[in-house]
Amino acid sequence: MNRIETELPGVFLLEPRLFRDDRGYLTELFNSNRYADVGLDAPFVQDNLSRSRRGVLRGLHYQWPSAQGKLVTVIEGEVFDVAVDIRRGSPHFGKWVGATLSGENHRQIYIPPGFAHGFVVTGDSALVLYKCTALYNPGDEGSVLWNDPAIGIDWPTGDHILAAKDLAAPRLEAIAADRLPRFD
């Protein structure tokens, strides 16, 4: 397995090994020992699966105080996936990193607790698997405006399809300090 660091400490890409032959391929989407060997030994407790069509933009979502780390894998299709550091006091506060994940490139991204997450579907559709380090808690759910100009995410162009709650999300600067994680 190959680990690729990003500009945001703690956020990294993984390229699992593929075993190919004339029938196709096999890969391990998760193996606790192999992932621990590359520095990912988080206790995953919940798996989520979403299917979305081209142009759907989900995010930017987070939980606080029951923060979730996420290991994101695209099973089918393609997305542009984004992590934003929302930890008050972090030297990287408000900075983002993005990567293309697809069923073809098999890349995964790990987004640690304290980061907001979102993606836009750039293929015809996408089937996305999230392994989470904390259970979903609706009372802790938070969102940051997907196109917050202070963050400046360079989303792929096109018409985006968003949920009403994502369209109404506040800018990062407008979120109360007690509703965001602190950088330790």
Side-chain angles (χ1 to χ4, degrees), residues 1 3 12 14 16 27-45 47 71 108 110 131 133:
M1 177 172 324
R3 177 177 166 150
F12 52 87
L14 294 170
T27 190
E28 292 178 341
L29 291 181
F30 183 76
N31 175 312
S32 61
N33 291 336
R34 282 188 177 73
Y35 281 67
D37 288 347
V38 295
L40 181 55
D41 57 358
F44 293 105
V45 298
D47 287 350
L71 178 63
Q108 299 172 306
Y110 179 67
K131 294 188 81 55
T133 62

Side-chain angles (χ1 to χ4, degrees), residues 102-140:
S102 73
E104 293 297 314
N105 71 19
H106 304 283
R107 283 185 161 183
Q108 299 172 306
I109 190 168
Y110 179 67
I111 302 165
F115 289 72
H117 171 248
F119 66 83
V120 64
V121 179
T122 54
D124 289 335
S125 66
L127 185 61
V128 180
L129 173 68
Y130 317 68
K131 294 188 81 55
C132 301
T133 62
L135 297 174
Y136 172 67
N137 182 339
D140 289 353

Side-chain angles (χ1 to χ4, degrees), residues 3-178:
R3 177 177 166 150
I4 302 165
E5 300 300 328
T6 71
E7 299 84 33
L8 292 179
V11 177
F12 52 87
L13 296 167
L14 294 170
E15 293 176 329
R17 187 170 171 208
L18 293 175
F19 301 91
R20 293 182 187 272
D21 64 22
D22 59 347
R23 299 168 298 163
Y25 70 86
L26 173 103
T27 190
E28 292 178 341
L29 291 181
F30 183 76
N31 175 312
S32 61
N33 291 336
R34 282 188 177 73
Y35 281 67
D37 288 347
V38 295
L40 181 55
D41 57 358
F44 293 105
V45 298
Q46 179 176 320
D47 287 350
N48 299 329
L49 186 66
S50 73
R51 177 174 293 282
S52 304
R53 67 179 196 251
R54 179 186 298 276
V56 168
L57 194 149
R58 296 183 183 268
L60 300 162
H61 303 147
Y62 68 95
Q63 278 193 180
W64 184 253
S66 59
Q68 289 181 317
K70 295 177 181 175
L71 178 63
V72 182
T73 305
V74 173
I75 307 298
E76 284 179 2
E78 181 181 279
V79 306
F80 181 69
D81 202 277
V82 173
V84 179
D85 189 342
I86 60 167
R87 300 169 299 164
R88 294 262 184 214
S90 167
H92 304 284
F93 182 76
K95 303 293 184 203
W96 67 277
V97 65
T100 297
L101 307 179
S102 73
E104 293 297 314
N105 71 19
H106 304 283
R107 283 185 161 183
Q108 299 172 306
I109 190 168
Y110 179 67
I111 302 165
F115 289 72
H117 171 248
F119 66 83
V120 64
V121 179
T122 54
D124 289 335
S125 66
L127 185 61
V128 180
L129 173 68
Y130 317 68
K131 294 188 81 55
C132 301
T133 62
L135 297 174
Y136 172 67
N137 182 339
D140 289 353
E141 187 176 38
S143 294
V144 177
L145 186 63
W146 69 280
N147 62 351
D148 183 335
I151 297 171
I153 297 171
D154 187 16
W155 294 104
T157 58
D159 293 326
H160 298 121
I161 304 162
L162 289 101
K165 73 174 187 172
D166 292 338
L167 288 168
R171 292 182 179 192
L172 184 56
E173 67 185 20
I175 299 173
D178 66 342

